[in-house]
Amino acid sequence: LKTNKTLLSLGLGCNAIGKVTGIALAEVLKTNQTLTSLDMLNNLLGDEAGKATAEALKMNKMLAYLSLGNCQLSDEAGKMLAGALKSNTALTSLQLHFNKLSDETGKALAESLKTKKTLKSILLSNNNFSNEVKETLRQSFNET
């Protein structure tokens, strides 16, 4: 993938991909200039791979769709992903459903959504957000 110039979409969902492979994929995302869609749904990434992906999003200028649903992410990775949204200009769709995200991540995402003009879709269902944070997220997304 580091040198691939033709692959646009990569679906790796439900493959029991863990931390090591997740971090390696994140490293590739830092320099890959063709991949626009990455589906990592239902993997075992955890926070270390989630944080590496957040760092990659700060540099990646092509990825429009990213699914990290049910990837065992907690606030440690969630807050970094929220922060990465502030500088990423390509991402239009982000899926973070069925993780272990709480109000800490929810508030960070709400703050990022206020200025993130390119994001058109975000899936956050089945996390641990309070009703207050859910409303804040809804309002933040509607302001973009």
Side-chain angles (χ1 to χ4, degrees):
L1 282 176
K2 265 189 175 178
T3 59
N4 186 295
K5 300 207 183 320
T6 57
L7 188 66
L8 298 176
S9 180
L10 181 58
L12 295 172
C14 302
N15 277 300
I17 293 171
K19 175 176 78 170
V20 173
T21 303
I23 290 171
L25 282 167
E27 282 300 311
V28 168
L29 283 179
K30 289 180 179 180
T31 57
N32 183 283
Q33 295 299 308
T34 56
L35 196 65
T36 60
S37 175
L38 178 58
D39 183 352
M40 297 293 289
L41 181 68
N42 293 325
N43 277 296
L44 308 170
L45 298 179
D47 284 330
E48 294 304 312
K51 291 188 300 185
T53 302
E55 286 301 315
L57 285 177
K58 292 178 183 178
M59 299 177 197
N60 186 286
K61 305 294 184 227
M62 294 301 295
L63 195 67
Y65 171 84
L66 177 60
S67 177
L68 296 173
N70 197 23
C71 284
Q72 300 183 352
L73 304 178
S74 73
D75 288 327
E76 190 177 340
K79 290 185 294 184
M80 285 191 68
L81 286 162
L85 291 179
K86 292 179 180 179
S87 60
N88 179 283
T89 58
L91 204 62
T92 59
S93 180
L94 176 62
Q95 296 186 355
L96 293 172
H97 57 300
F98 284 99
N99 280 294
K100 300 176 276 184
L101 307 176
S102 74
D103 284 354
E104 280 185 71
T105 296
K107 290 174 185 176
L109 283 167
E111 189 61 34
S112 292
L113 288 173
K114 289 178 182 177
T115 58
K116 179 69 177 155
K117 303 299 183 199
T118 57
L119 195 65
K120 303 297 179 204
S121 170
I122 188 166
L123 183 56
L124 298 170
S125 58
N126 292 89
N127 279 292
N128 299 313
F129 301 132
S130 67
N131 287 336
E132 179 183 334
V133 169
K134 288 177 188 176
E135 180 60 21
T136 301
L137 282 161
R138 187 190 66 73
Q139 290 173 359
S140 295
F141 197 72
N142 286 337
E143 290 173 10
T144 60

